[in-house]
Amino acid sequence: MDVTFKIKRYDPEVEAPESYWQDFSLTLDDSATVLDGLIKIREEIDGTLSLRCSCRSAICGSCAMRINGHAGLACKMQVRLAVDDDNVIIIEPAGVMPVVKDLVVDFDMFWSKIMAVDPYLRPEGPEPDAEYIASNEAMLHLSGVTACIMCGACVSDCTVMEVDPTFLGPAALAKAYRFTADPRDGDAQGVSRDRLEALNGPTGMWDCTRCAECVEVCPKGVAPMDRIMALREQAINAGFDNTYGARHAEAFSSSLEHSGQLDELRLVPNTVGVFNLPVLLNMAPEALRALTHGKLPPIIHKKIENADRVRKLFRRVEDPDRS
Amino acid sequence: MKYAFFPGCVSRGGCPELYPAAKLICQRLDIELQEMPGASCTGAGVLQEKNEFLGDTLNARTFAMAEDLGLPIMTICSTCQGVMSQANHRMKSNPEYLAKVNVELAEEGLEYNGNAEPKHLLWILIEDYGLEKLEPLITRPLAGIRLAPFYGCYILRPTNALDFEDNPERQNSLERLIETLGATVVDFAGKTRCCGFPILTINEKNSMAMVGKHTAEAKDLGADAMVTPCPLCHLNLDAFQPKASAQAQRSIDLPIIHMPQAIGLAMGITPKDLGLQRHIVSTKALITKLGVAAG
Ligand code: FES
């Protein structure tokens, strides 16, 4: 198979370094992975091409990079599946993290966020006589999230970290969930209140936009975004419900419960608080502009037909006394 | 062709120009729409944060109504599409879960049999209607107009819930539609990214940074407008563009057009009938470039 690798390169040691594209044409076996191709380029065409790899089996997490615009493991992706109609494949370093050289990025930010969530068990209360015991069922559901190999693909393509590197991000939040959902962590009921309180703050669980990029690019099925949503549910259930995020979810569902549809006009004041004048005034120009363009949602919020049926459904499903 | 129409809340709320524009072009396409006045909001992924089962049950309720009508469902919102597809995926892949949902639906005398396949108008045009059938209806091709596609996350990811494997054309459906309308596609990295709307009331600064990044990128690549199949993206990219522009400390001024409006313009419908005067970022320059009277 004759293919062209279009690689984004960067050499920090030249004067006024800037990234540039370079094409490499080579012949590969049909079964070759993207990593096989890159190694061949490095060994046979240009020994200065820098990249990280180790296991070549999608285990070590070293070789994450952008392949055709999306993060993935170079050793897991077959060239034959990645090339376009002209047999071209586009390779870039992972996003968000600073590039060191060519396809090598600086992982300091990644590790500091993992460290920030205390990635170890923190049981509270008296120690048991022997080991901490967790049932099989209580641990089984964690097998997905513990499959993380810390390759950084999710961080690379996170739409929030792209604009705000202070966000804890998908990898660290998924790691945090791995502990909040562990029955041995936290109090006797397995509720990790301290963790949830910390993650509930700025740069934490509520800053995720639910864009699902991380779910899509994760090579191990960790589904970080789904873990972040689970964290939100855990935080609300643990009583941390006084954030804009939690109130947004609450205001949204109460609107739905009462009319079967979204009351957009009241969603903002109900989220930020009816008496939160600074925030409301901050949104006032948008509201005024919407009004003058005939766009403001109806003041009298309409209900769907038989809205009472939706209300009853909410009551039934949300009834805490139900087993 | 007939569909059970699920317009979603925002097409009649924050983006009131979308609902009539969509109905207008469906009329021209001879697509018959049957409303479902008893259908509720999908939960938009927000209710699902609190209670996923409840959200899925609400969507199953809508699916059951469409099954009773014997009609496939049409959406005009990327978010509605994604949330419905995800709910459907969970129920179809887990019969026990579906049975649990049906216990709730039975209280209203409804039952969901797992046959619904909700489809966005964008997908319907490509998969059911056929772009070749749309072509003869294009009486005013958007020649010379440069349009940047902006999908909205929910109609792109997660791909397994959206059946991308069986329908690979969904990956670049919007570009194909833009080409069919006679316009030039402005390809840019932001087209599959997040508009920032879900965190608007939670972290406005980040939300505005996203709006600014994507609209400015398209603008700098010479786009005359951006086209989106998602009214939530539209809300953020259009209504909040002035704020995003102030935060980015640069002018952007990129009109954001709903997908049905772009189709309508190419069909010769007047900008006024399509509600283009209701946008926050002025569409005047675009209309002038098109060479049509505003109507
Ligand atoms: S080389 Fe180890 S994951 Fe790719």
Side-chain angles (χ1 to χ4, degrees), chain A residues 30-84:
Chain A
D30 272 4
S31 62
T33 64
V34 172
L35 183 60
D36 291 336
L38 291 169
I39 291 174
K40 188 166 179 173
I41 292 170
R42 188 179 64 185
E43 285 178 356
E44 296 175 13
I45 308 177
D46 184 346
T48 69
L49 179 68
S50 298
L51 62 128
R52 277 200 192 103
C53 62
S54 176
C55 71
R56 307 186 190 195
S57 317
I59 294 168
C60 73
S62 305
C63 67
M65 57 187 70
R66 278 195 177 142
I67 304 165
N68 298 326
H70 299 284
L73 298 177
C75 70
K76 200 183 175 211
M77 172 67 86
Q78 280 189 295
V79 173
R80 129 188 107 76
L81 300 175
V83 289
D84 67 9

Side-chain angles (χ1 to χ4, degrees), chain A residues 282 285-286 289, chain B residues 204-213 215-216 236-254 280-281:
Chain A
N282 184 32
E286 281 69 35
R289 254 185 240 122
Chain B
E204 192 190 89
K205 191 163 155 267
N206 285 355
S207 183
M208 290 306 101
M210 290 177 186
V211 173
K213 187 172 168 43
T215 51
N236 223 32
L237 298 168
D238 178 54
F240 283 84
Q241 197 184 110
K243 187 171 256 179
S245 163
Q247 184 174 306
Q249 296 184 310
R250 57 160 289 171
S251 75
I252 300 173
D253 273 330
L254 182 71
I280 301 300
V281 177

Side-chain angles (χ1 to χ4, degrees), chain A residues 66 70 156-160 162-164 167 203 206-213 215-216 225 229 232-233 236 244-246 248-250 252-253 256 260-262 264 267-268 271-272 282-283 285-286 289-290 293-298 303-306 309-310 313-314 316-318 322, chain B residues 9-10 12-17 37-54 57-58 61 104-105 107-108 153-154 156-160 192-194 196 198-204 206 209-210 213-214 234-235 238-240 242-243 258 277-280:
Chain A
R66 278 195 177 142
H70 299 284
S156 160
D157 284 19
C158 173
T159 48
V160 176
E162 181 176 69
V163 298
D164 179 8
F167 176 42
T203 75
W206 294 103
D207 274 357
C208 166
T209 63
R210 289 185 275 123
C211 74
E213 287 274 14
V215 178
E216 207 52 48
M225 182 188 83
M229 295 311 118
R232 290 180 180 180
E233 206 175 330
I236 293 175
Y244 284 168
H248 179 71
E250 184 55 47
F252 195 106
S253 44
L256 234 167
Q261 53 187 343
L262 179 57
E264 292 164 301
L267 193 60
V268 173
T271 299
V272 301
N282 184 32
M283 291 253 180
E286 281 69 35
R289 254 185 240 122
H293 286 78
K295 281 190 69 122
L296 214 62
K303 289 181 179 171
I304 62 165
E305 213 171 271
N306 300 321
R309 293 186 187 166
V310 169
L313 175 65
F314 266 77
R316 283 201 305 276
V317 175
E318 292 201 311
R322 251 166 80 126
Chain B
C9 307
V10 181
R12 291 164 298 176
C15 293
E17 64 281 355
S40 74
C41 166
T42 62
V46 181
L47 172 66
Q48 283 76 356
E49 277 166 27
K50 270 192 73 199
N51 194 329
E52 188 171 270
F53 174 73
L54 179 56
T57 307
L58 277 180
R61 198 176 161 269
E104 298 303 331
L105 295 188
E107 300 261 345
E108 292 190 49
C153 300
Y154 278 83
L156 290 170
R157 294 176 294 269
T159 47
N160 62 346
T192 58
R193 306 296 269 172
C194 177
I199 51 168
L200 177 62
T201 57
I202 298 165
N203 189 331
E204 192 190 89
N206 285 355
M210 290 177 186
K213 187 172 168 43
H214 307 319
H234 188 279
L235 262 185
D238 178 54
F240 283 84
K243 187 171 256 179
H258 297 287
Q277 73 287 1
R278 295 179 100 169
H279 292 202
I280 301 300

